[in-house]
Amino acid sequence: MAPVHSFLGLFSISDDTSEIGESVEGEENQKVPCGPPCSTPVLSSLSLRRSVTITVLPGFSCCFFIWRVTKQDTKQDTGNAVLVLHQMEVLLNYLPLDQTVWTSFLKKQREEYSQFLREMIIQPGISKAKSGCSREDVTMEDHPLNPNPDSRWNNYFKDNEILLQIDKDVRRLYPDMAFFQRPTDYPCQLILDPQNDYETLRQRVEQTTLKAQTVNRNRSGVTNVSSPGKALNLYPSNEYEVMPSGSEAHWEVVERILFIYAKLNPGIAYVQGMNEIVGPIYYTFATDPNSQWKEHAEADTFFCFTNLMSENRDNFIKSLDDSQCGITYKMESVYSMLKDKDLELYLKLEEQNIKPQYFTFRWLTLLLSQEFLLPDVIRIWDTLFSDKERFHFLILVCCAMLILIRENLLAGDFTVNMRLLQDYPISDVHTILTKAEELRDNS
């Protein structure tokens, strides 16, 4: 089985750039090369991003495998286990390379996020709650119908439009698994504090949404009012399940993260699909085996997501689509690479007028998060984030995905091929990543 690269396999974290040591074998077909024990808490970006050979059985989560190996093979250096588990935070430029400052840094960042919650959710919610009992906020200068961009009411309604879109998207986040519908083990006490009498995001959504109803009158003149969605069973039974008092679902935490991001970044605000980017990051942190990290998954996710979006945000800005940093250029880059690597397949897709934007738009914008199961998405991101040219490697992965199904594409017509590309048939991400590495090596 060919090797691939993964940041979760970075056991050697010293500044020594010599060749990695001998392999430590676990179960059959699972090998992880390990370096010398860590002698310093300070990492260098060079050693952090250095490639490490890993062999993982298809279908296994690399995160789970590496955690097992780390626990049994680095007993004399517990710092390694911590670093391996938190490579994502480091590679997304959240945690500093100097591990000795992590405690003070994390405390500062998490306090800053708490302040965001106070300023952008709690305090506006308190003002809105009070305005419901008083007419003081409704003046000749500022009132609910005021179109002035600086109007507090106008901003409130614009925020609600964004919030409704976020709410709609996060409720359906990864519907193939129940995780995001379940209650979090660490609900945000600042948000759920009964002492804070304010309008919550949940209440804002409920009060803003107009619920369509169907009115039926039977022959006896009795009127029956019902929700069409419920009558037709359009929604899963647990999709809108209300958590008991003092609890909140994981999707509500993700909703809060995206709302805060939109408020702090008004130039881009929220664009549909960002929920698919933040989901895997939050899942990784919210399932951390260490409760001290798990408890702060929300704040840590927010900053990691913000840093990732700083690199990936151009894909979500429509005015940049046709620029060299926009999504159109990246989609065309996939076909340019395919033309260089497999001319026959490229000409076939061109002949059938299958344009790259028909399928690569979703692949590139969402970092393949909708093409595979969540553990496999995390496995792909392991490799993607550890690569110095992470988004160039994504183009290699997309090209590899096409070449791996070339026989099917060459034999299929337009309809069959579009179905293949919209619902990618290969689930073994190890094979895809290995092929992408081969394409790069042959460049």
Side-chain angles (χ1 to χ4, degrees):
M1 190 174 295
V4 293
H5 300 135
S6 168
F7 71 73
L8 285 176
L10 295 172
F11 288 92
S12 180
I13 55 177
S14 67
D15 286 337
D16 180 18
T17 58
S18 60
E19 198 65 25
I20 296 170
E22 297 180 356
S23 298
V24 176
E25 295 194 16
E27 295 178 11
E28 184 180 1
N29 289 330
Q30 298 182 343
K31 300 179 181 179
V32 179
C34 296
C38 178
S39 59
T40 173
V42 180
L43 296 85
S44 71
S45 58
L46 174 63
S47 63
L48 184 64
R49 292 184 182 275
R50 185 174 53 190
S51 298
V52 173
T53 305
I54 293 179
T55 304
V56 184
L57 286 173
F60 280 79
S61 167
C62 187
C63 300
F64 170 71
F65 170 64
I66 295 302
W67 171 244
R68 282 175 48 205
V69 174
T70 303
K71 289 290 284 184
Q72 69 187 26
D73 291 314
T74 59
K75 293 178 180 178
Q76 296 179 349
D77 186 6
T78 57
N80 267 359
V82 175
L83 287 168
V84 169
L85 277 176
H86 299 287
Q87 297 292 359
M88 181 180 285
E89 289 100 317
V90 178
L91 289 172
L92 290 180
N93 301 314
Y94 176 46
L95 286 178
L97 297 178
D98 185 355
Q99 191 185 355
T100 61
V101 303
W102 280 12
T103 300
S104 58
F105 175 82
L106 288 170
K107 181 180 179 182
K108 177 184 176 182
Q109 294 297 100
R110 290 161 179 173
E111 287 176 352
E112 183 177 358
Y113 184 75
S114 295
Q115 188 60 30
F116 291 156
L117 295 179
R118 294 186 187 95
E119 293 178 1
M120 299 175 197
I121 296 181
I122 295 177
Q123 291 177 5
I126 291 174
S127 299
K128 179 62 170 59
K130 289 181 177 178
S131 69
C133 305
S134 170
R135 300 180 61 86
E136 295 177 0
D137 289 344
V138 182
T139 64
M140 291 296 293
E141 291 77 20
D142 196 9
H143 51 81
L145 299 181
N146 188 353
N148 190 327
D150 297 328
S151 165
R152 188 156 56 88
W153 285 96
N154 189 36
N155 289 333
Y156 176 81
F157 292 133
K158 285 184 177 179
D159 287 347
N160 274 2
E161 291 178 11
I162 295 173
L163 177 59
L164 287 177
Q165 183 61 59
I166 294 173
D167 185 80
K168 177 182 177 182
D169 293 343
V170 297
R171 287 177 185 265
R172 295 174 170 85
L173 190 60
Y174 284 94
D176 55 322
M177 59 188 298
F179 171 80
F180 289 96
Q181 300 295 335
R182 292 173 180 162
T184 172
D185 294 333
Y186 297 96
C188 183
Q189 298 304 316
L190 185 62
I191 291 293
L192 299 177
D193 187 353
Q195 300 296 324
N196 291 330
D197 183 17
Y198 73 100
E199 183 187 46
T200 64
L201 293 186
R202 185 187 298 179
Q203 291 170 335
R204 287 178 68 165
V205 170
E206 291 172 350
Q207 294 173 10
T208 305
T209 305
L210 295 176
K211 297 175 181 174
Q213 294 179 321
T214 301
V215 179
N216 295 321
R217 188 183 299 274
N218 62 19
R219 295 177 63 182
S220 302
V222 178
T223 300
N224 178 38
V225 181
S226 62
S227 167
K230 185 175 181 180
L232 297 174
N233 195 28
L234 297 178
Y235 314 117
S237 59
N238 65 338
E239 184 178 353
Y240 298 102
E241 183 179 353
V242 178
M243 293 287 116
S245 178
S247 301
E248 58 181 355
H250 288 290
W251 67 261
E252 293 183 272
V253 180
V254 175
E255 177 177 79
R256 204 157 49 233
I257 293 169
L258 290 170
F259 183 73
I260 295 295
Y261 178 83
K263 290 285 289 179
L264 289 172
N265 298 271
I268 185 173
Y270 173 77
V271 179
Q272 193 169 25
M274 288 182 181
N275 59 309
E276 305 290 346
I277 301 293
V278 74
I281 300 175
Y282 174 75
Y283 175 83
T284 302
F285 297 167
T287 56
D288 195 302
N290 187 327
S291 60
Q292 292 181 345
W293 290 85
K294 185 177 181 180
E295 181 179 0
H296 300 285
E298 179 177 351
D300 294 345
T301 298
F302 169 80
F303 288 108
C304 285
F305 171 70
T306 299
N307 290 347
L308 179 57
M309 285 302 300
S310 71
E311 300 181 56
N312 196 40
R313 63 180 293 166
D314 291 350
N315 290 346
F316 291 88
I317 301 177
K318 188 174 180 60
S319 60
L320 296 178
D321 281 357
D322 295 325
S323 68
Q324 191 166 355
C325 61
I327 187 63
T328 301
Y329 177 82
K330 294 173 184 175
M331 290 188 294
E332 291 174 350
S333 296
V334 175
Y335 264 30
S336 296
M337 182 175 292
L338 180 65
K339 184 178 181 180
D340 179 56
K341 303 294 183 181
D342 192 330
L343 180 60
E344 182 183 8
L345 179 56
Y346 167 80
L347 292 175
K348 179 68 174 182
L349 297 178
E350 284 285 302
E351 176 190 333
Q352 295 183 345
N353 199 29
I354 298 179
K355 301 184 182 300
Q357 49 264 49
Y358 293 168
F359 58 97
T360 60
F361 178 84
R362 187 175 72 184
W363 289 8
L364 294 169
T365 304
L366 304 184
L367 307 182
L368 299 172
S369 59
Q370 283 195 336
E371 311 312 313
F372 304 98
L373 297 177
L374 184 54
D376 295 324
V377 171
I378 295 173
R379 176 64 193 89
I380 292 174
W381 287 15
D382 288 352
T383 301
L384 190 63
F385 295 160
S386 64
D387 196 274
K388 291 181 180 179
E389 300 177 326
R390 58 182 66 170
F391 295 112
H392 175 70
F393 186 75
L394 178 61
I395 293 174
L396 281 165
V397 172
C398 293
C399 188
M401 290 170 65
L402 293 171
I403 294 175
L404 285 171
I405 58 171
R406 72 182 308 275
E407 300 303 326
N408 305 75
L409 293 172
L410 291 174
D413 57 18
F414 176 86
T415 304
V416 171
N417 288 343
M418 281 302 302
R419 189 179 298 118
L420 278 172
L421 296 170
Q422 293 288 344
D423 186 14
Y424 192 74
I426 298 178
S427 59
D428 181 7
V429 298
H430 175 76
T431 300
I432 296 170
L433 294 173
T434 302
K435 185 64 177 180
E437 289 285 358
E438 291 176 2
L439 294 178
R440 172 156 59 184
D441 293 341
N442 295 330
S443 296

